[in-house]
Amino acid sequence: MLQRISVKLLILMALFVVPAQAEPKPWKFGWWPGHYDRVFDREFNPYMENGKHPHNSQHFGKQWYAEDWLAQYDNDLDLINDFYTADIFRGQDVDDDVPVLIVGPNFYHLSGYDKRRVTHVLDVVYNITGGNGAQMFTLEDWRTHKPIGVYTKNGLQIQ
């Protein structure tokens, strides 16, 4: 008797098993009308980077200038101080006549594009790549004190 009930229960459960469908739902409890028409969400994702392009060429051609941020401050160093306050930058050092930027933990929370912008602002304010000397600076992790990248006149290169 118990076997018959369990067999009937298994047959009944097998009737309701349906393979997963990756298409729009055809009934009213599926996705709302126009769900797949929202193309604008797929076109612009500022924090999602394309892994197929190298870091340096990924944002090539985007029009952005350090003056866009610096114009919002009376003193350029106020913006740099805000980067320190936000713990994006942790400190500065010199190693064999090469400037070293020690980045804080919030540097890693920035998108790749914003990492390039904050280091570019630092370069514009201090004129490191355009001046005399090393014309580059290295980036160092705040915790491990290991180098994570280098900034030259060609931009930021993260390892």
Side-chain angles (χ1 to χ4, degrees):
M1 171 100 170
L2 185 59
Q3 264 183 335
R4 284 185 183 168
I5 293 174
S6 62
V7 169
K8 288 180 183 178
L9 185 61
L10 283 174
I11 291 172
L12 186 62
M13 288 173 45
L15 292 174
F16 291 108
V17 174
V18 180
Q21 297 178 2
E23 299 159 359
K25 308 293 184 215
W27 56 311
K28 65 180 179 179
F29 294 111
W31 295 112
W32 57 88
H35 171 76
Y36 291 99
D37 296 336
R38 296 178 41 167
V39 179
F40 64 89
D41 285 340
R42 292 185 215 123
E43 288 179 358
F44 180 70
N45 290 318
Y47 298 108
M48 302 180 96
E49 299 175 356
N50 183 354
K52 295 180 182 178
H53 295 104
H55 291 282
N56 290 344
S57 66
Q58 190 169 10
H59 304 290
F60 183 73
K62 290 192 177 183
Q63 297 296 321
W64 181 85
Y65 302 99
E67 290 77 18
D68 294 341
W69 285 357
L70 293 171
Q72 300 174 25
Y73 291 85
D74 293 331
N75 186 359
D76 293 346
L77 294 178
D78 290 341
L79 177 59
I80 302 297
N81 288 334
D82 285 350
F83 291 153
Y84 279 98
T85 302
D87 212 12
I88 294 171
F89 298 158
R90 186 59 75 91
Q92 296 175 8
D93 199 2
V94 176
D95 185 23
D96 292 332
D97 294 331
V98 176
V100 176
L101 174 66
I102 302 167
V103 297
N106 287 334
F107 180 81
Y108 297 106
H109 294 285
L110 298 175
S111 68
Y113 186 49
D114 285 335
K115 288 176 186 173
R116 281 154 184 74
R117 293 198 294 183
V118 297
T119 52
H120 179 68
V121 166
L122 183 81
D123 179 43
V124 167
V125 170
Y126 289 115
N127 194 23
I128 299 170
T129 60
N132 297 329
Q135 296 185 347
M136 63 168 281
F137 61 91
T138 59
L139 281 79
E140 186 178 281
D141 183 60
W142 63 280
R143 183 180 299 166
T144 63
H145 299 290
K146 292 184 179 179
I148 62 165
V150 63
Y151 187 92
T152 65
K153 65 180 177 179
N154 297 323
L156 180 65
Q157 299 170 5
I158 298 177
Q159 298 177 355

